[in-house]
Amino acid sequence: MYRIAIDVGGTFTDVVAVDETGDVTFVKAASTPEDQSLGVMTGLERLSTQLGLSLTELLPQTERIVHGMTVATNALLERKGARVGLLTTEGHRDVLEMREGLKPERYNLRLPRPEPLVPRHLRLGVRERLRADGRIETPLDPKSVEAAIRVLQRENVNAVAVCYLHAYRDDRHERETRRLLEAAMPDVYICLSSEVLPQIKEYQRVSTTAINAYVGPLIKGYLQGLEHRLQASGLTGPLLVMLSHGGVAPVEEAVRIAASTVLSGPAGGVAGARRAAAMMGAPDLIPLDMGGTSTDISLIVDGEAHLSAERGIATEHIALPSLDIITLGAGGGSIGRVEEGGLLKVGPQSAGAMPGPACYGYGGVAATVTDASVVLGYLDPDNFIGGAAKLDREAAHQVLRQIGDGLGIDELRAAEGVHRVVNTHMAEGIRLATVRRGVDPRRFTLLGFGGAAGLHVTELARLLSLRRVLVPR
């Protein structure tokens, strides 16, 4: 029997199988942002070929599949989620926009106001009111709910968040509203604040429930579609989804609390780092997960990862427990460019999976960190991904030559500059996770993993005066 793990990144989808003897088989496939399940199925096909089986022979022998994904993350970052309606207690529809009355940067007078996920005309008040102790002040008015439903139907929303005042004390009004919504809008994704985050603090509860509704339809469509494909190919074991706190859940639960998958991919890395700390007797680690699009930095202190309920992503607040992870726009596909004034910048824009770095040969014309690694001789163009692909050395030199022309230097020094800029950016991210929180990073071991970390961790250690680096095989 096999256990299979799948991680979908911005550039590559990684698929790993472990058999009952502990033997590990690992393959990569290009990620497919338009439909991540396509890259997943391609990866599984390659995995089965590597094992000398067909996919329909491998999946019946699979005990379980654990999947880390970026569907919810990308939806929030790119603002490509569902069209959401919000039903809330009459007079409280602006909680989502007022936030807590504070700006993220309170002294920045030019900071633009974050646009709420739900526009004001789709935030509708309903006549009902509970007291803080759960007693009913105003009973739920069904006509008020029905009037709100007519607006939502007219506006063609495909998700509805229900967030009534003090619903964490008594959810009867939210449950009755869901019954009316399901009768009138059976195909719409519905979530209740009393189920997503049944606790005090109105803004946190409303924000988290609105995010849940925003990403819920995408998560539902993706996971249920992937599960159907896997079962059609012979999978009888469960498909489990990584959650932001480092645990796993079946598809049904991940769909119900979709906001808990926002850090699904990075959480798998932290969970693995925690296991590595126990295996190696190195309880204090700085896990550095550098992929093609981003770098995720966290801390393992005394063998444990820190959980937080104060997580923010893309200006949105998610109050569900999640691992404390700092994400930077720095990866192998991060694009280098010369800005006005002759300054070299790297990232956060990424070449992604398509067209990818110029050296991939898929039509990329921008100089990336990976192209710089080829020019510097850090990557063997004839042995990329274990020999499964070859890199175009001349294309890498050509795009770095363009960077060099803009800086008045040759391509080798330009490549060195790209590496120096991205390394400095990641070093600052590590300082943010350590020094700015009163932690001395010099007593920690730097654990470098992900597709690109091995090329950068030793230089990061030098920049931070760290004495020990670990890179898993």
Side-chain angles (χ1 to χ4, degrees):
M1 293 294 287
Y2 295 93
R3 286 170 290 152
I4 296 176
I6 302 167
D7 177 55
V8 178
T11 305
F12 284 107
T13 293
D14 299 329
V15 185
V16 182
V18 182
D19 66 17
E20 57 267 21
T21 67
D23 284 344
V24 176
T25 305
F26 168 59
V27 299
K28 295 177 85 74
S31 293
T32 48
E34 69 281 1
D35 181 356
Q36 291 185 1
S37 65
L38 298 177
V40 169
M41 297 306 293
T42 299
L44 288 168
E45 290 278 4
R46 291 183 181 177
L47 178 68
S48 60
T49 301
Q50 189 87 351
L51 292 168
L53 302 168
S54 68
L55 184 59
T56 53
E57 290 172 333
L58 171 62
L59 290 182
Q61 300 179 53
T62 300
E63 178 187 322
R64 63 179 180 270
I65 294 179
V66 179
H67 183 20
M69 60 185 184
T70 55
V71 175
T73 314
N74 292 343
L76 279 175
L77 291 174
E78 299 171 17
R79 291 283 171 146
K80 293 181 179 179
R83 183 170 174 80
V84 179
L86 173 64
L87 301 185
T88 188
T89 304
E90 197 171 54
H92 290 76
R93 69 172 178 164
D94 290 324
V95 168
L96 193 64
E97 197 156 2
M98 293 166 64
R99 299 183 167 235
E100 294 176 292
L102 299 173
K103 298 190 298 183
E105 302 171 32
R106 64 185 68 187
Y107 299 115
N108 184 351
L109 301 182
R110 297 183 179 181
L111 187 70
R113 178 177 60 86
E115 283 296 321
L117 290 178
V118 186
R120 197 167 194 268
H121 71 281
L122 294 179
R123 305 196 302 261
L124 306 171
V126 171
R127 197 168 301 115
E128 69 83 43
R129 182 65 181 262
L130 290 180
R131 290 177 176 266
D133 60 5
R135 287 183 293 141
I136 296 177
E137 174 79 14
T138 303
L140 178 69
D141 182 355
K143 292 183 178 179
S144 177
V145 177
E146 289 163 3
I149 288 174
R150 286 194 292 272
V151 174
L152 298 177
Q153 288 174 320
R154 187 170 66 244
E155 294 289 341
N156 293 318
V157 302
N158 47 12
V160 180
V162 183
C163 308
Y164 292 152
L165 201 64
H166 304 306
Y168 57 89
R169 286 289 190 188
D170 189 331
D171 65 351
R172 71 180 76 178
H173 286 177
E174 289 195 347
R175 285 189 287 107
E176 176 60 17
T177 299
R178 177 168 58 190
R179 187 186 67 78
L180 295 171
L181 281 165
E182 288 175 342
M185 308 172 74
D187 297 326
V188 167
Y189 180 92
I190 301 166
C191 57
L192 312 181
S193 71
S194 53
E195 293 180 350
V196 175
L197 191 71
Q199 65 187 49
I200 198 169
K201 290 193 175 181
E202 289 306 308
Y203 167 64
Q204 284 82 350
R205 189 159 52 86
V206 174
S207 174
T208 304
T209 309
I211 290 170
N212 200 80
Y214 189 72
V215 302
L218 296 178
I219 295 293
K220 181 179 180 179
Y222 170 70
L223 286 179
Q224 291 183 348
L226 177 61
E227 188 176 46
H228 176 73
R229 286 188 179 190
L230 293 171
Q231 290 173 347
S233 297
L235 180 69
T236 56
L239 171 62
L240 302 175
V241 181
M242 285 293 306
L243 302 183
S244 300
H245 54 58
V248 297
V251 167
E252 182 181 359
E253 181 65 11
V255 168
R256 188 178 72 85
I257 310 295
S260 65
T261 68
V262 167
L263 288 178
S264 172
V270 179
R274 184 174 170 225
R275 173 67 175 152
M279 290 173 62
M280 297 181 297
D284 297 327
L285 293 179
I286 301 173
L288 180 96
D289 179 1
M290 184 180 183
T293 305
S294 62
T295 294
D296 299 306
I297 300 165
S298 53
L299 277 183
I300 304 291
V301 181
D302 295 329
E304 295 295 332
H306 178 61
L307 284 173
S308 171
E310 298 297 321
R311 180 69 188 181
I313 183 169
T315 75
E316 302 300 330
H317 186 92
I318 304 173
L320 294 169
S322 65
L323 291 163
D324 192 4
I325 300 170
I326 294 171
T327 300
L328 309 176
S334 293
I335 295 172
R337 63 198 181 281
V338 180
E339 296 195 332
E340 290 184 18
L343 290 176
L344 175 63
K345 292 288 186 72
V346 181
Q349 296 85 2
S350 173
M354 289 296 293
C359 62
Y360 283 10
Y362 298 144
V365 295
T368 68
V369 174
T370 299
D371 293 309
S373 297
V374 172
V375 172
L376 292 169
Y378 295 164
L379 284 174
D380 180 359
D382 297 323
N383 192 34
F384 190 59
I385 319 180
K390 291 183 181 293
L391 299 178
D392 187 336
R393 182 188 282 106
E394 181 51 40
H397 278 268
Q398 182 177 339
V399 292
L400 265 302
R401 199 172 297 133
Q402 294 169 2
I403 294 288
D405 290 344
L407 297 170
I409 56 179
D410 62 28
E411 66 261 33
L412 190 63
R413 291 186 64 197
E416 185 181 7
V418 168
H419 257 250
R420 187 175 298 174
V421 170
V422 77
N423 287 341
T424 301
H425 185 34
M426 289 189 288
E428 281 304 307
I430 294 173
R431 290 189 182 101
L432 181 63
T434 56
V435 176
R436 295 193 189 181
R437 298 178 181 182
V439 176
D440 184 351
R442 291 174 297 183
R443 70 181 177 89
F444 284 75
T445 297
L446 184 61
L447 177 68
F449 59 99
L455 298 170
H456 298 265
V457 283
T458 50
E459 185 57 33
L460 286 173
R462 292 189 186 101
L463 288 170
L464 296 162
S465 299
L466 305 182
R467 291 179 293 177
R468 192 179 186 204
V469 170
L470 290 171
V471 181
R473 289 170 57 188

